């Protein structure tokens, strides 16, 4: 059998058995399982064990966010997991928002605790009660902190790995403290920019929407959400940027001495991203062969697969080891799969794991001083001279990133549908198609009325885009476009 | 006033007010507070908020351990915080060992949970219940995993930041799975070597002791502890390396299919280090001016302090900025303190934070094209030409490390006292002097009897060192030296 025949025959032996476009939920669960991202069999619903490959991708992703936060003057801290009930309940709106879904420690061993301890569903209260001791004068402001912590919510809805979980692993949340409202508002803008840079790096498409007043984060003045859409048509909140105003500083007494020696309450913001980002990357970029990871977070960017023919293993192994060394020297994350499985099994496995580039090396290739480079995104195959390999791989990784981003942007564009009236929505819209935009006059009454009529909740409005047309509720000129959809 | 006079006068303005040798506990609490390592005012006893400077040092320390674990083929994973009671109680010795000090979640919001959830006091049970699904055949072994997680123990003894806490932050624990007992024993040796390399890097002195059979980790076959001594004379366990044998694999059913197609139970080990390492570094290396951090983990390795004279700020600032840039290019972690405080206040603050090198730049220095380099360990001052600064700082950092390690080894040597008989101990030993070694025949009966007679528990024996003399209990030839002391 000719070398090429053997390769394609082997690669056809196994296929990824669920069609993503037909059955996204099962495809997603299966893709995560096959790629060994997390193990959902951990014996508590919605709490998953992170496997080595998934955890590496998560850490690579988070390291980029750390870079962006450090780069903009944030300092990393860590605040305890448990929050005394008396502290947790200091801000009333917040308490109402999170009380019902918090895990609560009531005992240690067989001893009943004197005070119940909340397992953080989010960190505001535990942090602010201590940070108030760190702020004395205006010289201490702005104070920009972040931490990477797990947060816990007793979800009662159906859970899904990385998207809706009870233990959110390595939630990266920033909390900032400012002397005045203008600085806090500017910080919100900075955060939005940081997140835009981040999601662009992650090759994710998103829309920044402002949450309407009747749906803000508990204890917030206003907030922005980074929304994307999952292939089943549901919206997903990737990040939230929140202007807390003085709500928490009043509740916790966070004050500074200003230049007139008076005490003023600080203004605060907070914002965070979670493992959902990774889940959404996998959901959007994967295909019927499994995952496709952006090169920037792929634990293995190039996988070398030797193609063995009896008696010719030696030169192939030697060439593979050399290629590996060369690529590693060029800072390309490279693995060499020299296990005993068939080449076809290896192709299947690494494709399912979303490794962007495969390098095949058979005896013929060795003779020619070349290797076959296969792109995961286009499945294009190309023989490349060994001495050109580093450069070629580097450029191809860039090209894959660009191609993935382009695809993702087109994907989101298709899934945000613009309508003029509620009637049009009812006629033409099916839930799995994506999100719906309608002109809105800006009045709460109208927003709520549209939600009710089309039967799906609003997820926010596009502040910067004046809508053409007339408010889908009252018929007055539309000030903005409001979006609706089911969400995770 | 001459430049030099001004500097020394300023540096004398403030002093660190507690004598370490007279009052170690207060010195320690104060040193950590002044250096802003953690904030112990968080409203739950034994749970501390990590401040930016302390957290950076902790992360630098952990990154070295990660390097060593990655380098020896360990893979990072993450397992959930909560463990169902039914899983937690599968191994009986383990349950007995940790049951009493575990925090337990009994409700979510106002809903009583159907099963109580343990907040991990250590991760064995939660992890092993799922890892058993990852192991099928001998090809899956050895499996070497690690994770970095917070663990929680409801300490009833007095807590102390970083040494005895209720939330241990970023505990780095490894768990390994092997086909046979020999491989597991070899893994214990590898782990001991990894930890030796690590504690050597951290400039910490230690003794590796084997725990006697009547004091092993719950569920273990045997274990080794890395012990050091705190300046108040108490022993502190820095790390534990545990051979679990088949105790957990039998309890959890972790089996693999061997080459004969039979099922065999795996052999396991586990080992971990915690924030205690950082606490011990600070306890041993600090002095009456505050902390002294090993260069390898110092968030700032060199602090540049401009010495301002009215009208001459401009050239000083320029020179400082240039020096900073030069040092940063040489990968020296450098800060420039250009705040409005006096130079003396800055000296005090950065000394207390344990920054290994201070660089003073005054107008005279600028004229001479030099800067004054001050070592934190010896307080030696030296003018250095700007063009030689990078090299000089790099070499000085190395020299500081060597000097610190030498001091630390001498420190531990002084605090491990060797006696021949219980009577000698009673006559000459005071608790704050350190640990006590006595010859031991190896019999449990004798070990327990010595403990009882001198009134302090054993902390283990030095396996590799044959003791001269006779067992301090029975008078038979001593096989080894057994150590005793109060511990954290």
């Amino acid at each position: 059998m000719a070398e090429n025949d053997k390769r394609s025959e082997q690669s056809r032996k196994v296929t990824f058995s669920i069609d993503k476009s037909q059955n996204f939920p099962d495809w997603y669960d299966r893709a995560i399982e096959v790629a060994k991202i997390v193990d959902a069999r951990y014996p508590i619903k919605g709490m998953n064990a992170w496997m080595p490959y998934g955890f590496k991708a998560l850490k690579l992703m988070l390291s980029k966010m750390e870079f962006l936060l450090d780069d903009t003057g944030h300092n990393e801290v860590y605040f305890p997991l448990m929050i005394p009930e008396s502290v947790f309940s200091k801000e009333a709106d917040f308490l109402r928002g999170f009380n019902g879904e918090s895990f609560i420690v009531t005992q240690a061993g067989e001893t009943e605790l004197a005070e119940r301890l909340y397992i953080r569903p989010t960190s505001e209260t535990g942090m602010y009660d201590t940070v108030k001791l760190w702020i004395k004068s205006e010289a201490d402001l702005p104070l920009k902190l972040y931490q990477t912590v797990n947060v816990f919510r007793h979800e009662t809805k159906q859970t899904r790995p990385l998207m809706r979980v009870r233990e959110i692993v390595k939630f990266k949340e920033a909390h900032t403290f400012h002397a005045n409202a203008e600085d806090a508002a500017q910080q919100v803008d900075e955060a939005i920019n940081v997140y835009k840079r981040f999601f662009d790096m992650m090759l994710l498409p998103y829309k920044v929407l402002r949450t309407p007043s009747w749906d803000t984060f508990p204890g917030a003045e206003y907030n922005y959400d980074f929304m994307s859409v999952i292939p089943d048509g549901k919206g997903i909140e990737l990040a939230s940027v929140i202007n807390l105003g003085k709500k928490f500083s009043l509740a916790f007494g966070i004050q500074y001495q200003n230049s007139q020696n008076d005490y003023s309450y600080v203004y605060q913001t907070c914002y965070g991203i979670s493992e959902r980002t990774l889940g959404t990357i996998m959901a959007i970029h994967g295909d019927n062969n499994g995952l496709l990871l952006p090169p920037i977070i792929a634990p293995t960017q190039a996988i070398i697969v030797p193609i063995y023919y009896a008696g010719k293993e030696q030169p192939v192994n030697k060439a593979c080891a050399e290629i590996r060394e060369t690529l590693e020297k060029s800072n390309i994350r490279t693995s060499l799969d020299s296990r005993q499985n068939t080449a076809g099994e290896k192709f299947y496995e690494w494709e399912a794991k979303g490794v962007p580039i495969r390098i095949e090396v058979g005896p013929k290739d060795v003779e020619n001083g070349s290797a076959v480079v296969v792109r995961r995104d286009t499945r294009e195959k190309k023989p490349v001279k060994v001495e050109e390999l580093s450069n070629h791989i580097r450029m191809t990784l860039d090209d894959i990133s660009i191609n993935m981003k382009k695809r993702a942007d087109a994907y989101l564009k298709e899934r945000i549908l613009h309508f003029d009236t509620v009637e049009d929505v009812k006629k033409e819209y099916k839930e799995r198609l994506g999100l719906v935009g309608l002109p809105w006059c800006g009045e709460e009454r109208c927003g709520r009325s549209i939600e009710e009529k089309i039967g799906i909740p609003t997820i926010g409005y596009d502040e910067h885009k004046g809508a053409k047309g007339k408010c889908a509720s009252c018929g007055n000129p539309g000030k903005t476009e409001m979006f609706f959809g089911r969400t995770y």
Side-chain angles (χ1 to χ4, degrees), chain A:
Chain A
M1 196 173 356
E3 216 169 282
N4 272 331
D5 290 346
K6 181 164 179 180
R7 290 183 198 185
S8 54
E9 193 251 6
Q10 282 177 323
S11 68
R12 255 184 280 112
K13 268 187 196 155
V14 273
T15 54
F16 202 80
S17 57
I18 303 165
D19 188 342
K20 186 183 173 192
S21 64
Q22 295 301 309
N23 183 354
F24 170 74
D26 286 356
W27 174 89
Y28 179 80
D29 289 349
R30 177 93 181 118
I32 280 178
E33 184 195 332
V34 173
K36 301 197 175 177
I37 302 298
V38 299
D39 193 327
R41 293 170 294 180
Y42 189 82
I44 301 177
K45 172 184 137 96
M47 298 192 182
N48 303 310
W50 281 80
M51 302 182 79
Y53 185 75
F55 200 72
K56 270 194 199 115
L58 182 67
K59 279 190 81 171
L60 284 163
M61 181 186 97
L62 292 173
S63 70
K64 304 306 165 196
M65 177 50 76
E66 268 169 49
F67 168 80
L68 292 172
L69 291 173
D70 293 343
D71 192 44
T72 44
H74 296 73
N75 277 304
E76 192 168 3
V77 292
Y78 175 80
F79 280 79
L81 169 78
M82 298 184 196
I83 303 167
E85 185 161 45
S86 56
V87 172
F88 192 82
S89 53
K90 275 190 182 171
E91 212 288 323
D93 288 339
F94 178 85
L95 179 67
R96 263 194 299 281
F98 286 105
N99 202 18
E101 56 184 38
S102 299
F103 289 95
I104 302 172
V105 173
T106 60
Q107 51 186 86
E110 293 310 311
T111 313
E112 188 101 358
L113 295 177
E115 180 172 16
R116 309 200 306 176
L117 302 174
Y118 280 63
I119 302 294
R120 67 167 101 76
T122 171
S123 306
E124 284 74 13
T125 56
M127 183 181 265
Y128 301 162
D129 195 58
T130 296
V131 167
K132 73 171 175 226
L133 306 168
W134 300 2
I135 296 172
K136 293 190 176 85
S137 73
E138 209 162 336
D140 298 320
L141 302 174
L143 180 64
K144 293 158 72 173
L145 306 174
Y146 75 94
Q147 63 177 3
T148 311
V149 299
N150 295 8
V151 298
F152 297 81
R153 296 175 190 174
H154 189 255
E155 292 288 353
T156 47
K157 295 193 207 172
Q158 204 198 343
T159 57
R160 170 154 298 158
L162 286 77
M163 292 214 188
R164 178 170 295 279
V165 290
R166 286 183 170 179
E167 175 172 19
I168 300 172
V169 171
K170 292 196 173 281
F171 181 55
K172 235 182 185 47
E173 51 176 332
H175 298 263
T176 70
F177 306 83
H178 305 272
N180 55 58
E182 295 71 46
D183 288 0
Q186 262 176 36
Q187 189 59 39
V188 165
D189 293 343
E190 181 185 276
I192 289 173
N193 277 326
V194 162
Y195 284 169
K196 281 181 177 172
R197 285 166 72 190
F198 176 67
F199 292 121
D200 287 346
M201 277 184 196
M202 295 302 124
L203 312 182
L204 275 181
Y206 55 83
K207 226 175 154 50
V208 186
L209 299 179
R210 183 160 167 155
T211 308
S213 57
W214 63 93
D215 197 29
T216 52
F217 178 83
E221 288 286 335
Y222 60 86
N223 64 289
Y224 292 89
D225 290 337
F226 280 70
M227 296 296 304
S228 196
V229 182
I230 292 297
D232 62 4
K234 281 193 193 167
I236 187 158
E237 185 189 307
L238 293 175
S240 203
V241 179
I242 303 168
N243 192 327
L244 297 169
K246 296 201 286 183
K247 291 210 174 180
F248 281 93
S249 67
L250 287 165
F252 285 87
I254 316 178
Q255 291 180 302
Y256 69 96
Q257 206 167 7
N258 60 28
S259 45
Q260 287 84 48
N261 280 332
D262 285 339
Y263 284 92
S264 301
Y265 288 96
V266 302
Y267 291 77
Q268 297 176 238
T269 80
C270 67
Y271 34 98
I273 60 127
S274 75
E275 57 183 87
R276 269 192 174 182
T277 302
L278 186 56
T280 307
I281 288 169
M282 299 190 304
I284 291 181
H285 288 292
D287 60 24
N288 284 349
N289 296 304
L291 302 184
L292 169 50
L293 293 181
I296 200 171
I297 64 162
T300 297
Q301 295 173 314
I303 177 72
I304 305 168
V305 180
I307 311 290
Y308 291 128
Y309 283 78
K312 293 182 181 167
E313 291 88 350
Q314 185 62 17
V316 166
N317 282 337
K318 187 164 165 282
C320 286
E322 282 167 7
I323 290 172
R324 181 197 189 151
E325 213 189 308
T326 308
L327 296 186
E328 279 178 347
K329 271 191 196 143
S330 303
N331 288 320
I332 295 160
R333 291 190 291 273
T334 311
S335 302
L336 165 57
D337 188 348
S338 45
R339 292 174 301 171
Q340 290 309 306
N341 316 17
T342 67
E345 283 166 349
K346 292 176 188 176
F347 295 172
Y348 166 78
E349 193 175 317
W350 293 106
E351 282 186 3
K353 280 177 167 302
V355 173
I357 289 176
R358 178 172 78 229
I359 301 168
E360 305 175 3
V361 182
K364 273 268 161 54
D365 303 311
V366 176
E367 277 170 34
N368 298 335
S370 65
V372 175
V373 174
V374 188
R375 286 173 67 141
R376 173 70 180 82
D377 60 336
T378 59
R379 306 179 76 77
E380 231 174 297
K381 283 188 170 206
K382 197 175 172 172
V384 177
K385 287 282 168 201
V386 167
E387 61 270 25
E388 289 160 18
L389 212 46
S390 277
N391 271 334
H392 182 83
I393 299 284
R394 250 202 308 255
M395 287 200 300
T396 306
L397 288 171
D398 283 348
D399 200 52
I400 290 174
S401 297
I402 292 164
N403 184 39
M404 286 174 72
K405 185 69 167 79
K406 222 186 274 177
R407 281 191 194 172
D409 287 340
Y411 158 93
L412 186 65
K413 209 173 167 200
E414 276 174 21
R415 278 163 186 81
I416 297 188
L417 310 165
H418 306 271
F419 289 98
D420 291 324
T421 66
V422 170
E423 288 64 41
D424 290 351
V425 174
K426 291 204 162 175
K427 227 185 296 169
E428 296 173 38
Y429 173 68
K430 282 180 194 69
E431 213 176 286
R432 62 174 184 79
L433 295 178
L435 307 180
V436 167
L438 277 171
W440 177 48
C441 65
E443 295 296 324
E444 173 168 347
R445 195 174 26 83
C446 287
R448 286 183 185 273
S449 147
I450 303 172
E451 279 180 316
E452 216 167 277
K453 280 185 198 151
I454 61 174
I456 42 182
T458 178
I459 52 175
Y461 58 96
D462 190 342
E463 211 185 16
H464 298 293
K465 191 184 171 191
K468 291 171 193 158
K470 296 168 179 173
C471 173
S473 173
C474 68
N476 288 334
K479 274 196 190 144
T480 172
E481 193 172 17
M482 186 166 228
F483 293 90
F484 302 86
R486 304 277 168 208
T487 57
Y488 270 89

